[in-house]
Amino acid sequence: MRSLLSLSVVVALLSGCGGEPPEELVQSAKAKVERAAAVGHLTRGALEVLGLMPVYTCGEPRRGFLDVATVDLSQRLACATTTVESLDAVTDGVVVTFSGPDCQVHGLGLSGRVFFKYRGGEDRMEVEADLRQLRVEGVVLPAEVGYGTCGDLTSVWVKAEGDIPGREGHTLRMDAKVTKRPGMPILGGSSLLLDGTGELSGPDGVDKLTLTTLHYEVGEYLPKEGMAVLETADGHHVEASFKPVLWRVGKVELTVDDHSPVTVPIVR
């Protein structure tokens, strides 16, 4: 998994805040920023998986919609197979299984299974997807996602709890939602806006993470816009404000405690 900041950038950041930092502080700051970026990436990826199935069209019979939607998914992804079953009078389940070495979505290899539940009727539908038996690039995706649609409210959410991929000994707990912005698709579109709160736990304690309107393009590792804030276990307040510059070039303004922000260019 890619790092957000190089070691030299973190050194420059902390050195500009008054004096040469000790090596252990440099290593700690680098690790915390990388873990926050990894959690945002995992959360965004979970929402992209939710978008693989077509969004329920209000007014359609639930089972009729699923019969068409599963065929549509299989036609778009030859490596995906689907089964549909009735769970109770108001709920249908769909199991999507990904197989084969070339099973890729947005450039990421998928294997394992996703369990969807569709609950409700023509005037209100609640959809949940359990991703905990899905592997993305060989890594388990410890998340559940879902959305509610029809009526007066459309909402999309993700809850994740488990190991942080590629960060041995560190775990996450995340509760996030997608912000609805006029003109921006919620699912199946090219971008999403992510807000959420969570905790990152490790040998050094628990860091509290807040994500505010992070704007992700589908398949990208780093956000285009928005802010991530870390309240670290060792008492530091770190803000990372992402801003676009050119097509695939952006910048992040990093602020540690009360020091002046430092601008770092990034390539998404």
Side-chain angles (χ1 to χ4, degrees), residues 38-57:
V39 170
H41 175 61
L42 182 152
T43 306
R44 175 204 54 77
L47 287 162
E48 286 187 18
V49 174
L50 178 63
L52 292 178
M53 285 284 284
V55 180
Y56 174 73
T57 302

Side-chain angles (χ1 to χ4, degrees), residues 37-154:
V39 170
H41 175 61
L42 182 152
T43 306
R44 175 204 54 77
L47 287 162
E48 286 187 18
V49 174
L50 178 63
L52 292 178
M53 285 284 284
V55 180
Y56 174 73
T57 302
C58 303
E60 285 190 69
R62 183 179 62 250
R63 191 56 181 264
F65 164 78
L66 291 176
D67 288 342
V68 174
T70 52
V71 171
D72 174 79
L73 177 60
S74 297
Q75 289 177 341
R76 288 186 287 114
L77 289 175
C79 59
T81 57
T82 59
T83 58
V84 183
E85 62 177 322
S86 178
L87 300 179
D88 58 42
V90 296
T91 310
D92 287 319
V94 178
V95 179
V96 181
T97 304
F98 301 95
S99 60
D102 299 323
C103 191
Q104 293 195 344
V105 177
H106 305 311
L108 298 176
L110 301 183
S111 61
R113 297 186 294 178
V114 179
F115 297 87
F116 288 89
K117 285 185 180 179
Y118 287 78
R119 182 181 299 108
E122 299 178 18
D123 58 351
R124 181 66 185 172
M125 182 67 70
E126 300 289 339
V127 180
E128 300 175 6
D130 186 340
L131 312 181
R132 291 172 294 181
Q133 292 191 35
L134 176 69
R135 288 183 175 269
V136 180
E137 296 293 303
V139 177
V140 173
L141 198 59
E144 297 176 272
V145 293
Y147 70 90
T149 189
C150 307
D152 297 329
L153 177 66
T154 298

